[in-house]
Amino acid sequence: MALAAGSAIDLPCGRCLVAPTVFDSAVARVDYRRPWDQVVAAFKFHGALDLAGALASSLADAIVDASEVDAVVPVPLAPARLR
């Protein structure tokens, strides 16, 4: 469902108006759904290191395609998964 610009969803909350965050946006190379969810899980959790080059190349392309990138950060594991 598309929302019109200026809808309530587009407006910042009160907390963000008082203390704006430094985070403006995020870029993802792919939607985290089939088949990419399985590819990332194979690499991250099942030792499919042969996927490293393709995933790194894809991430590099996303960075080049983005208009401005300040940082590239990993998505951390949930505490239960880390244990």
Side-chain angles (χ1 to χ4, degrees):
M1 174 173 108
L3 297 172
S7 68
I9 300 297
D10 292 335
L11 300 175
C13 69
R15 185 180 346 169
C16 293
L17 289 171
V18 172
T21 64
V22 295
F23 180 81
D24 292 323
S25 64
V27 174
R29 186 62 175 168
V30 296
D31 289 333
Y32 192 68
R33 61 179 172 202
R34 197 174 180 122
W36 292 106
D37 59 340
Q38 295 172 345
V39 171
V40 171
F43 174 72
K44 194 171 179 180
F45 303 119
H46 303 294
L49 299 180
D50 56 313
L51 298 172
L55 291 170
S57 178
S58 182
L59 177 60
D61 290 345
I63 293 168
V64 169
D65 292 347
S67 61
E68 182 180 323
V69 175
D70 294 324
V72 176
V73 298
V75 175
L77 289 172
R81 184 80 163 164
L82 184 57
R83 280 191 294 273

